[in-house]
Amino acid sequence: VQAGRGCPKTCSFCSVYCLYRGQYLKRSIPDVIRDIKRVKELGFKQFLLLDDNIFSDRNYAIELCAEMKWMTQCSIDIAKDEELLDIIAKSGCYVLSFGLESITRESLVSMNKAWAHPENYSEQIRIIRKHGIDISTEMGGGRRRYLGIHPCHCRFYRKESYCGTEILYSYADSRHQVF
């Protein structure tokens, strides 16, 4: 189920930014609840709220959390908002998924992800788990053991340059290529 699309973050490697240019576009809550009920009617016990960063609009997320057991994607900086973590945990959120694309500050800055601080990842994950929420991560290589975070689900990706992303164009410019 998708409540909205887009994300206010502007990471240069991200295809979401390429499509939505820092915007989060949301559906009406009654429409989302209708879709969730339909999924349950079909016999599914679980569903993924497949937004790119549902907590981009805090008030919308709180209102939506009212009646479901769910998991979703967001950015790790949700750990800064323990009140929201408490609300979503009580609403039935049991897994949050977010990207930990690099453990080096320099690499993150080069990807327009300067807002992320790898030196805080372990503490941020501890805070999220303290609220009874497990984590799922997307990582750029075999970083799980290095960070010692042991997510319930972990997806590893090689660095990709998606069409339309800033990172692809900067790579092409450095090689004097046109895409």
Side-chain angles (χ1 to χ4, degrees):
V1 176
Q2 198 164 31
R5 294 181 180 179
C7 175
K9 308 289 187 195
T10 58
C11 306
S12 66
F13 61 88
C14 187
S15 61
V16 173
Y17 171 69
C18 176
L19 294 170
Y20 299 100
R21 297 291 181 202
Q23 296 181 73
Y24 178 61
L25 309 172
K26 52 194 179 261
R27 296 174 55 212
S28 74
I29 289 178
D31 285 352
V32 176
I33 299 302
R34 178 204 64 214
D35 291 353
I36 290 168
K37 287 179 180 176
R38 181 64 182 132
V39 167
K40 290 178 181 179
E41 289 169 5
L42 292 171
F44 294 95
K45 293 182 169 73
Q46 296 183 14
F47 68 93
L48 171 63
L49 203 51
L50 192 60
D51 284 40
D52 301 305
N53 191 352
I54 193 166
F55 303 116
S56 300
D57 183 329
R58 186 178 191 275
N59 293 331
Y60 178 79
I62 289 170
E63 188 177 344
L64 184 59
C65 289
E67 59 180 274
M68 56 187 170
K69 185 168 177 69
W70 53 286
M71 53 187 158
T72 193
Q73 302 178 121
C74 62
S75 60
I76 194 169
D77 59 359
I78 190 169
K80 296 176 186 174
D81 193 339
E82 290 203 56
E83 180 186 13
L84 181 57
L85 283 168
D86 191 48
I87 290 168
I88 67 171
K90 286 177 182 172
S91 80
C93 179
Y94 61 100
V95 176
L96 292 176
S97 177
F98 40 79
L100 302 177
E101 288 81 11
S102 178
I103 58 171
T104 67
R105 184 87 182 116
E106 179 183 26
S107 178
L108 291 167
V109 169
S110 76
M111 294 185 266
N112 287 351
K113 197 169 178 174
W115 55 267
H117 298 275
E119 68 275 10
N120 298 335
Y121 287 169
S122 292
E123 177 62 11
Q124 289 171 307
I125 289 165
R126 186 196 66 73
I127 290 168
I128 292 166
R129 285 189 166 145
K130 177 178 81 172
H131 290 271
I133 301 171
D134 209 343
I135 60 162
S136 173
T137 62
E138 295 92 30
M139 297 182 174
R143 306 289 196 265
R144 179 174 55 170
R145 267 185 271 167
Y146 181 85
L147 292 171
I149 59 172
H150 310 292
C152 66
H153 300 101
C154 188
R155 291 166 309 283
F156 294 98
Y157 297 104
R158 62 188 174 104
K159 188 175 180 180
E160 292 286 341
S161 299
Y162 295 106
C163 224
T165 60
E166 288 180 30
I167 204 164
L168 175 68
Y169 293 120
S170 66
Y171 177 76
D173 287 347
S174 72
R175 302 226 187 259
H176 307 292
Q177 296 175 340
V178 177
F179 289 95

